[in-house]
Amino acid sequence: DKVLPHEATVSAPVNIAVIKYWGKRDAGLILPTNSSLSVTLSQDHLCTRTTVCAAAEFGGDRLWLNGVEEDVTASARLCNVISTARKLRAAVEQADSAAPRLSTWGLHVCSENNFPTAAGLASSASGYAALVSALGTLFKLPQSAAELSRVARVGSGSACRSILGGFVAWQAGVEGDGSDSLAEQVAARAHWPQLQALVLVVSDRKKTVSSTAGMQTTVATSPLFAERVRNVVPRRMAVMRAAIAARDFAAFATLTMQDSNQFHAVCQDTFPPIAYMNDTSHAITNLVHAFNTAVGRVAAAYTYDAGPNAVIFALHDDMRTLVQLLTRCFPRPDSMPAAAFYEDPFAVFAS
Ligand code: PMV
């Protein structure tokens, strides 16, 4: 048993924040300035599948991303995640002298996205969540999902929320060591099965300002950001939790749109300003508002992360109409695969 390589494969999906994380109070430990809340999408469309293998004869750690080898030592965050997981494994070995010394062996990591990595979708969230979950399985770590989310957070902040399914809150925490900055499930996916998300791929170009660089400039220069952190987000976290608990779509959707708008307003208020949305994003926003006005209720919501791609939320019955409307207004270019389409419970739609 001691000489055989040990292996584990785990998949993790992307998540879409409805109360946005933007800003770090500690860049090294990735501690956020505010709490955030997200919906973890289904694994069918946007997920990362990661295999980790430990063997005594591996000289060192190696990583392949979508079949291409990357330099592990080039990424401090990746090294941090692996060494944190190794420390937790060492504790397992200390408690059980018969456990193979995996914490001292080399690791080979093989990670693949089931969507184009360059599509501007949240690949770091699913990527680090899959890696940490796979290491947790391989190392037989006793830690709960919430505890493992702390490890994923060190790789990429938003990744901590992808460790859990359904509706997930990432508590900013107050401790300097990050011990209370972790993700917890607010409600399971099954709590609200009628809620659906549609991903609209507006551009597959890489973003011009990374979230790390963007956040840093925002924290340093935006007065609107300071107001958001102090007075807006704490109240919104509570209202959003209540909307989810009550399955109140109008409240959920209104707050989702408002929080996306404020996040992008904060980016505009950053100096120099950051523009993640483009003309197509704004046209989608206008269409959603026109749709809500036409049906006389809040039937759809949009949200945008650090890029122009839109995620639309709607209840099942309205999503059919919305997909028809969106397909007519934003026809799919020939270059996009027809397979990327609307399907239950969550969909990817290319425009
Ligand atoms: O975890 P990062 O560094 O990729 O930051 C993600 C930030 C947003 O996607 C814009 C918002 C969020 O809460 O996911």
Side-chain angles (χ1 to χ4, degrees):
D1 182 54
K2 270 184 190 153
V3 287
L4 284 178
H6 289 236
E7 192 182 293
T9 300
V10 174
S11 295
V14 306
N15 70 79
I16 306 296
V18 290
I19 302 292
K20 304 291 186 193
Y21 147 56
W22 194 253
K24 295 182 178 84
R25 63 184 165 90
D26 184 315
L29 290 170
I30 311 198
L31 301 178
T33 47
N34 60 267
S35 297
S36 56
L37 204 150
S38 61
V39 181
T40 298
L41 300 193
S42 93
Q43 300 230 359
D44 302 343
H45 299 290
L46 304 170
C47 83
T48 304
R49 191 181 144 92
T50 297
T51 299
V52 285
C53 183
E57 55 274 15
F58 288 165
D61 300 334
R62 294 176 73 183
L63 165 78
W64 289 264
L65 270 186
N66 297 311
V68 179
E69 182 161 14
E70 308 264 328
D71 179 8
V72 174
T73 57
S75 168
R77 292 176 176 198
L78 183 63
C79 294
N80 267 353
V81 166
I82 293 175
S83 72
T84 307
R86 277 206 174 103
K87 270 184 212 136
L88 296 174
R89 170 65 191 182
V92 170
E93 291 164 11
Q94 207 148 32
D96 175 7
S97 57
R101 297 293 183 253
L102 302 192
S103 68
T104 62
W105 296 359
L107 277 174
H108 284 186
V109 180
C110 191
S111 192
E112 307 226 333
N113 295 327
N114 71 346
F115 56 95
T117 303
L121 300 159
S123 56
S124 70
S126 56
Y128 276 108
L131 174 64
V132 170
S133 299
L135 287 172
T137 305
L138 175 76
F139 289 163
K140 296 191 168 60
L141 299 181
Q143 275 73 19
S144 67
E147 288 168 326
L148 284 181
S149 78
R150 272 196 306 237
V151 186
R153 191 203 72 222
V154 175
S156 167
S158 56
C160 76
R161 299 185 310 236
S162 272
I163 293 280
L164 294 126
F167 302 86
V168 181
W170 172 14
Q171 301 300 344
V174 292
E175 301 297 338
D177 64 356
S179 53
D180 59 350
S181 186
L182 45 78
E184 58 170 38
Q185 196 183 55
V186 168
R189 179 73 190 96
H191 165 72
W192 200 357
Q194 297 84 4
L195 182 74
Q196 297 190 312
L198 181 72
V199 180
L200 301 179
V201 181
V202 169
S203 164
D204 57 7
R205 285 211 216 116
K206 216 172 130 53
K207 56 192 167 207
T208 44
V209 181
S210 74
S211 49
T212 300
M215 284 182 203
Q216 207 170 2
T217 317
T218 297
V219 174
T221 64
S222 168
L224 176 59
F225 168 76
E227 166 67 12
R228 167 174 170 75
V229 168
R230 197 171 317 123
N231 294 324
V232 181
V233 176
R235 194 171 32 84
R236 285 190 176 171
M237 284 295 288
V239 176
M240 186 57 91
R241 276 173 184 270
I244 292 166
R247 297 185 201 92
D248 180 344
F249 183 79
F252 170 88
T254 302
L255 201 48
T256 295
M257 292 188 279
Q258 288 171 335
D259 205 68
S260 174
N261 292 345
Q262 188 173 72
F263 157 51
H264 291 280
V266 156
C267 289
Q268 260 316 294
D269 191 44
T270 297
F271 198 78
I274 311 164
Y276 285 125
M277 291 167 67
N278 66 16
D279 288 350
T280 307
S281 320
H282 291 296
I284 292 168
T285 296
N286 291 339
L287 186 70
V288 168
H289 282 290
F291 179 76
N292 288 342
T293 303
V295 298
R297 63 196 160 86
V298 185
Y302 51 78
T303 185
Y304 305 83
D305 281 339
N309 298 327
V311 175
I312 306 292
F313 286 104
L315 296 179
H316 177 272
D317 291 349
D318 292 317
M319 193 60 105
R320 285 173 186 284
T321 320
L322 270 164
V323 169
Q324 277 170 3
L325 182 69
L326 288 159
T327 336
R328 203 159 300 170
C329 295
F330 303 98
R332 177 175 57 81
D334 293 339
S335 58
M336 288 288 190
F341 235 100
Y342 167 63
E343 220 182 85
D344 288 346
F346 289 113
V348 180
F349 165 75
S351 164

